[in-house]
Amino acid sequence: MYVQDCFYYLNFGRSPEKDKISDGEQFKEAIQAMQVLSLHPRQLDDLHLRVMRELLLIKADELRKWLLMRQIESFHELVLISNNKEIAVTERDALAKHIYAKLF
């Protein structure tokens, strides 16, 4: 007996087993769909930023700035250091996951 068998509302579909989902295949399909719609990766990044900006109620430039930079405090001053692309993408994804976790 599976855990889902204990809950009536989880048995509506009568099939708790799902086919395996390939993230790689779904990503390829998403890229193909973007190409069909003539969307470029930069436009998708802008869309992500716009959605996060609206959820956080901050200016897009401020969001972009803090994803691309980090601030450290030295003895007597605050110093801004640029993030490389990998760090900026990681920061963006972490923020998106955090927002998603708080929504649900």
Side-chain angles (χ1 to χ4, degrees):
M1 180 175 213
Y2 295 105
V3 173
Q4 66 267 18
D5 293 335
C6 298
F7 300 97
Y8 176 74
Y9 62 90
L10 293 177
N11 291 305
F12 286 132
R14 298 181 191 260
S15 178
E17 301 297 320
K18 290 202 167 245
D19 295 332
K20 289 186 178 181
I21 296 172
S22 168
D23 290 336
E25 288 300 316
Q26 285 188 333
F27 181 74
K28 287 178 188 176
E29 289 176 14
I31 295 296
Q32 290 171 347
M34 288 184 346
Q35 290 171 342
V36 167
L37 296 171
S38 299
L39 290 175
H40 300 287
R42 172 72 181 169
Q43 290 172 306
L44 187 60
D45 286 343
D46 287 344
L47 176 64
H48 287 148
L49 286 175
R50 190 171 66 232
V51 170
M52 283 193 269
R53 175 189 66 81
E54 290 173 3
L55 288 171
L56 297 172
L57 302 174
I58 60 175
K59 295 178 182 175
D61 292 339
E62 283 293 309
L63 178 59
R64 183 174 274 117
K65 173 185 173 183
W66 293 114
L67 289 174
L68 297 175
M69 310 280 294
R70 65 185 182 272
Q71 180 176 296
I72 62 170
E73 186 175 348
S74 67
F75 290 107
H76 302 289
E77 63 183 341
L78 298 174
V79 179
L80 291 177
I81 300 175
S82 296
N83 290 332
N84 63 29
K85 182 179 180 179
E86 182 180 335
I87 292 173
V89 168
T90 301
E91 294 288 331
R92 181 202 62 201
D93 294 347
L95 178 59
K97 288 177 184 177
H98 180 73
I99 292 170
Y100 183 82
K102 292 297 180 183
L103 288 173
F104 303 101

PDB file of all heavy atoms in Angstrom, residues 3 6 12 14-16 28 33 41 44 54 56 62 76 78 81 87 91 93 101:
ATOM      1  N   VAL A   3       1.485   5.457   0.170  1.00  0.00           N
ATOM      2  CA  VAL A   3       0.969   6.554   0.995  1.00  0.00           C
ATOM      3  C   VAL A   3      -0.236   7.205   0.325  1.00  0.00           C
ATOM      4  O   VAL A   3      -1.238   7.510   0.978  1.00  0.00           O
ATOM      5  CB  VAL A   3       2.074   7.603   1.251  1.00  0.00           C
ATOM      6  CG1 VAL A   3       1.510   8.823   1.948  1.00  0.00           C
ATOM      7  CG2 VAL A   3       3.202   6.993   2.058  1.00  0.00           C
ATOM      8  N   CYS A   6      -3.882   6.124   0.974  1.00  0.00           N
ATOM      9  CA  CYS A   6      -4.563   6.476   2.216  1.00  0.00           C
ATOM     10  C   CYS A   6      -5.433   7.723   2.078  1.00  0.00           C
ATOM     11  O   CYS A   6      -6.216   8.019   2.975  1.00  0.00           O
ATOM     12  CB  CYS A   6      -3.531   6.718   3.324  1.00  0.00           C
ATOM     13  SG  CYS A   6      -2.542   5.255   3.718  1.00  0.00           S
ATOM     14  N   PHE A  12      -8.169  10.036  -7.408  1.00  0.00           N
ATOM     15  CA  PHE A  12      -9.125  10.361  -8.477  1.00  0.00           C
ATOM     16  C   PHE A  12      -8.668   9.846  -9.842  1.00  0.00           C
ATOM     17  O   PHE A  12      -9.449   9.363 -10.624  1.00  0.00           O
ATOM     18  CB  PHE A  12      -9.373  11.860  -8.565  1.00  0.00           C
ATOM     19  CG  PHE A  12     -10.219  12.385  -7.451  1.00  0.00           C
ATOM     20  CD1 PHE A  12      -9.832  13.509  -6.750  1.00  0.00           C
ATOM     21  CD2 PHE A  12     -11.394  11.758  -7.084  1.00  0.00           C
ATOM     22  CE1 PHE A  12     -10.603  14.017  -5.716  1.00  0.00           C
ATOM     23  CE2 PHE A  12     -12.178  12.254  -6.045  1.00  0.00           C
ATOM     24  CZ  PHE A  12     -11.775  13.377  -5.365  1.00  0.00           C
ATOM     25  N   ARG A  14      -6.803   7.340 -10.488  1.00  0.00           N
ATOM     26  CA  ARG A  14      -6.660   5.886 -10.424  1.00  0.00           C
ATOM     27  C   ARG A  14      -5.297   5.390 -10.917  1.00  0.00           C
ATOM     28  O   ARG A  14      -5.137   4.243 -11.240  1.00  0.00           O
ATOM     29  CB  ARG A  14      -7.773   5.194 -11.205  1.00  0.00           C
ATOM     30  CG  ARG A  14      -9.143   5.485 -10.648  1.00  0.00           C
ATOM     31  CD  ARG A  14     -10.194   4.741 -11.460  1.00  0.00           C
ATOM     32  NE  ARG A  14     -11.502   5.203 -11.107  1.00  0.00           N
ATOM     33  CZ  ARG A  14     -12.320   4.572 -10.275  1.00  0.00           C
ATOM     34  NH1 ARG A  14     -11.952   3.459  -9.724  1.00  0.00           N
ATOM     35  NH2 ARG A  14     -13.494   5.065 -10.005  1.00  0.00           N
ATOM     36  N   SER A  15      -4.356   6.299 -11.024  1.00  0.00           N
ATOM     37  CA  SER A  15      -3.022   5.894 -11.447  1.00  0.00           C
ATOM     38  C   SER A  15      -1.982   6.785 -10.778  1.00  0.00           C
ATOM     39  O   SER A  15      -1.605   7.808 -11.323  1.00  0.00           O
ATOM     40  CB  SER A  15      -2.890   5.988 -12.971  1.00  0.00           C
ATOM     41  OG  SER A  15      -1.577   5.633 -13.334  1.00  0.00           O
ATOM     42  N   PRO A  16      -1.518   6.384  -9.592  1.00  0.00           N
ATOM     43  CA  PRO A  16      -0.538   7.221  -8.900  1.00  0.00           C
ATOM     44  C   PRO A  16       0.844   7.182  -9.553  1.00  0.00           C
ATOM     45  O   PRO A  16       1.675   8.002  -9.271  1.00  0.00           O
ATOM     46  CB  PRO A  16      -0.496   6.620  -7.507  1.00  0.00           C
ATOM     47  CG  PRO A  16      -0.876   5.203  -7.696  1.00  0.00           C
ATOM     48  CD  PRO A  16      -1.867   5.211  -8.831  1.00  0.00           C
ATOM     49  N   LYS A  28      14.782  20.994 -23.941  1.00  0.00           N
ATOM     50  CA  LYS A  28      14.892  21.079 -25.405  1.00  0.00           C
ATOM     51  C   LYS A  28      13.577  21.538 -26.020  1.00  0.00           C
ATOM     52  O   LYS A  28      13.562  22.360 -26.933  1.00  0.00           O
ATOM     53  CB  LYS A  28      15.297  19.723 -25.985  1.00  0.00           C
ATOM     54  CG  LYS A  28      16.734  19.357 -25.736  1.00  0.00           C
ATOM     55  CD  LYS A  28      17.032  17.973 -26.305  1.00  0.00           C
ATOM     56  CE  LYS A  28      18.403  17.508 -25.901  1.00  0.00           C
ATOM     57  NZ  LYS A  28      18.681  16.138 -26.344  1.00  0.00           N
ATOM     58  N   ALA A  33      10.277  25.773 -28.524  1.00  0.00           N
ATOM     59  CA  ALA A  33       9.087  26.627 -28.477  1.00  0.00           C
ATOM     60  C   ALA A  33       9.490  28.098 -28.503  1.00  0.00           C
ATOM     61  O   ALA A  33       8.848  28.908 -29.179  1.00  0.00           O
ATOM     62  CB  ALA A  33       8.262  26.324 -27.231  1.00  0.00           C
ATOM     63  N   PRO A  41      17.183  34.050 -25.679  1.00  0.00           N
ATOM     64  CA  PRO A  41      17.457  33.860 -24.246  1.00  0.00           C
ATOM     65  C   PRO A  41      17.459  35.163 -23.449  1.00  0.00           C
ATOM     66  O   PRO A  41      17.009  35.191 -22.315  1.00  0.00           O
ATOM     67  CB  PRO A  41      18.838  33.195 -24.238  1.00  0.00           C
ATOM     68  CG  PRO A  41      18.910  32.474 -25.538  1.00  0.00           C
ATOM     69  CD  PRO A  41      18.147  33.349 -26.507  1.00  0.00           C
ATOM     70  N   LEU A  44      14.015  36.022 -22.463  1.00  0.00           N
ATOM     71  CA  LEU A  44      13.532  35.152 -21.393  1.00  0.00           C
ATOM     72  C   LEU A  44      14.088  35.612 -20.051  1.00  0.00           C
ATOM     73  O   LEU A  44      13.364  35.661 -19.060  1.00  0.00           O
ATOM     74  CB  LEU A  44      13.920  33.698 -21.664  1.00  0.00           C
ATOM     75  CG  LEU A  44      13.345  32.665 -20.726  1.00  0.00           C
ATOM     76  CD1 LEU A  44      11.825  32.681 -20.753  1.00  0.00           C
ATOM     77  CD2 LEU A  44      13.865  31.296 -21.053  1.00  0.00           C
ATOM     78  N   GLU A  54       8.125  42.334 -10.100  1.00  0.00           N
ATOM     79  CA  GLU A  54       6.730  42.590  -9.742  1.00  0.00           C
ATOM     80  C   GLU A  54       6.349  41.917  -8.427  1.00  0.00           C
ATOM     81  O   GLU A  54       5.630  42.484  -7.615  1.00  0.00           O
ATOM     82  CB  GLU A  54       5.810  42.151 -10.876  1.00  0.00           C
ATOM     83  CG  GLU A  54       5.921  43.048 -12.101  1.00  0.00           C
ATOM     84  CD  GLU A  54       5.145  42.525 -13.298  1.00  0.00           C
ATOM     85  OE1 GLU A  54       4.460  41.487 -13.189  1.00  0.00           O
ATOM     86  OE2 GLU A  54       5.245  43.157 -14.370  1.00  0.00           O
ATOM     87  N   LEU A  56       8.398  41.219  -5.963  1.00  0.00           N
ATOM     88  CA  LEU A  56       9.130  41.838  -4.868  1.00  0.00           C
ATOM     89  C   LEU A  56       8.861  43.333  -4.723  1.00  0.00           C
ATOM     90  O   LEU A  56       9.322  43.958  -3.770  1.00  0.00           O
ATOM     91  CB  LEU A  56      10.633  41.620  -5.058  1.00  0.00           C
ATOM     92  CG  LEU A  56      11.092  40.166  -5.039  1.00  0.00           C
ATOM     93  CD1 LEU A  56      12.556  40.070  -5.439  1.00  0.00           C
ATOM     94  CD2 LEU A  56      10.876  39.560  -3.668  1.00  0.00           C
ATOM     95  N   GLU A  62      17.234  47.930  -9.951  1.00  0.00           N
ATOM     96  CA  GLU A  62      17.756  47.538  -8.640  1.00  0.00           C
ATOM     97  C   GLU A  62      17.926  46.026  -8.550  1.00  0.00           C
ATOM     98  O   GLU A  62      18.929  45.532  -8.044  1.00  0.00           O
ATOM     99  CB  GLU A  62      16.829  48.019  -7.518  1.00  0.00           C
ATOM    100  CG  GLU A  62      16.957  49.479  -7.219  1.00  0.00           C
ATOM    101  CD  GLU A  62      18.308  49.834  -6.615  1.00  0.00           C
ATOM    102  OE1 GLU A  62      18.720  49.193  -5.632  1.00  0.00           O
ATOM    103  OE2 GLU A  62      18.947  50.756  -7.149  1.00  0.00           O
ATOM    104  N   HIS A  76      36.199  50.605   6.631  1.00  0.00           N
ATOM    105  CA  HIS A  76      35.565  51.916   6.689  1.00  0.00           C
ATOM    106  C   HIS A  76      34.664  52.208   5.498  1.00  0.00           C
ATOM    107  O   HIS A  76      34.226  53.346   5.330  1.00  0.00           O
ATOM    108  CB  HIS A  76      36.629  53.014   6.779  1.00  0.00           C
ATOM    109  CG  HIS A  76      37.526  52.859   7.955  1.00  0.00           C
ATOM    110  ND1 HIS A  76      37.094  53.094   9.249  1.00  0.00           N
ATOM    111  CD2 HIS A  76      38.819  52.453   8.049  1.00  0.00           C
ATOM    112  CE1 HIS A  76      38.086  52.859  10.086  1.00  0.00           C
ATOM    113  NE2 HIS A  76      39.150  52.460   9.387  1.00  0.00           N
ATOM    114  N   LEU A  78      31.870  50.483   2.167  1.00  0.00           N
ATOM    115  CA  LEU A  78      31.171  49.401   1.490  1.00  0.00           C
ATOM    116  C   LEU A  78      31.732  49.300   0.080  1.00  0.00           C
ATOM    117  O   LEU A  78      31.900  50.313  -0.600  1.00  0.00           O
ATOM    118  CB  LEU A  78      29.677  49.680   1.445  1.00  0.00           C
ATOM    119  CG  LEU A  78      28.978  49.783   2.807  1.00  0.00           C
ATOM    120  CD1 LEU A  78      27.526  50.199   2.631  1.00  0.00           C
ATOM    121  CD2 LEU A  78      29.067  48.469   3.555  1.00  0.00           C
ATOM    122  N   ILE A  81      31.293  44.531  -5.621  1.00  0.00           N
ATOM    123  CA  ILE A  81      32.095  43.616  -6.425  1.00  0.00           C
ATOM    124  C   ILE A  81      31.182  42.984  -7.469  1.00  0.00           C
ATOM    125  O   ILE A  81      30.090  42.506  -7.143  1.00  0.00           O
ATOM    126  CB  ILE A  81      32.728  42.520  -5.549  1.00  0.00           C
ATOM    127  CG1 ILE A  81      33.632  43.163  -4.507  1.00  0.00           C
ATOM    128  CG2 ILE A  81      33.487  41.517  -6.398  1.00  0.00           C
ATOM    129  CD1 ILE A  81      34.201  42.188  -3.519  1.00  0.00           C
ATOM    130  N   ILE A  87      27.799  33.131 -11.201  1.00  0.00           N
ATOM    131  CA  ILE A  87      27.282  33.530  -9.880  1.00  0.00           C
ATOM    132  C   ILE A  87      25.962  34.269 -10.025  1.00  0.00           C
ATOM    133  O   ILE A  87      25.018  34.038  -9.261  1.00  0.00           O
ATOM    134  CB  ILE A  87      28.320  34.383  -9.120  1.00  0.00           C
ATOM    135  CG1 ILE A  87      29.518  33.513  -8.735  1.00  0.00           C
ATOM    136  CG2 ILE A  87      27.706  35.010  -7.874  1.00  0.00           C
ATOM    137  CD1 ILE A  87      30.670  34.286  -8.136  1.00  0.00           C
ATOM    138  N   GLU A  91      22.531  33.199  -8.369  1.00  0.00           N
ATOM    139  CA  GLU A  91      21.778  34.113  -7.500  1.00  0.00           C
ATOM    140  C   GLU A  91      20.342  34.263  -7.983  1.00  0.00           C
ATOM    141  O   GLU A  91      19.399  34.240  -7.186  1.00  0.00           O
ATOM    142  CB  GLU A  91      22.456  35.488  -7.453  1.00  0.00           C
ATOM    143  CG  GLU A  91      23.816  35.489  -6.801  1.00  0.00           C
ATOM    144  CD  GLU A  91      23.752  35.299  -5.308  1.00  0.00           C
ATOM    145  OE1 GLU A  91      22.751  35.696  -4.681  1.00  0.00           O
ATOM    146  OE2 GLU A  91      24.727  34.759  -4.748  1.00  0.00           O
ATOM    147  N   ASP A  93      18.580  32.168  -9.821  1.00  0.00           N
ATOM    148  CA  ASP A  93      17.855  30.918  -9.611  1.00  0.00           C
ATOM    149  C   ASP A  93      17.518  30.698  -8.139  1.00  0.00           C
ATOM    150  O   ASP A  93      16.432  30.221  -7.811  1.00  0.00           O
ATOM    151  CB  ASP A  93      18.646  29.736 -10.167  1.00  0.00           C
ATOM    152  CG  ASP A  93      18.779  29.781 -11.681  1.00  0.00           C
ATOM    153  OD1 ASP A  93      18.056  30.577 -12.325  1.00  0.00           O
ATOM    154  OD2 ASP A  93      19.609  29.030 -12.225  1.00  0.00           O
ATOM    155  N   ALA A 101       9.127  28.963  -3.133  1.00  0.00           N
ATOM    156  CA  ALA A 101       8.917  28.279  -1.853  1.00  0.00           C
ATOM    157  C   ALA A 101       7.979  29.083  -0.949  1.00  0.00           C
ATOM    158  O   ALA A 101       7.147  28.514  -0.246  1.00  0.00           O
ATOM    159  CB  ALA A 101      10.250  28.039  -1.153  1.00  0.00           C
TER     160      ALA A 101
END
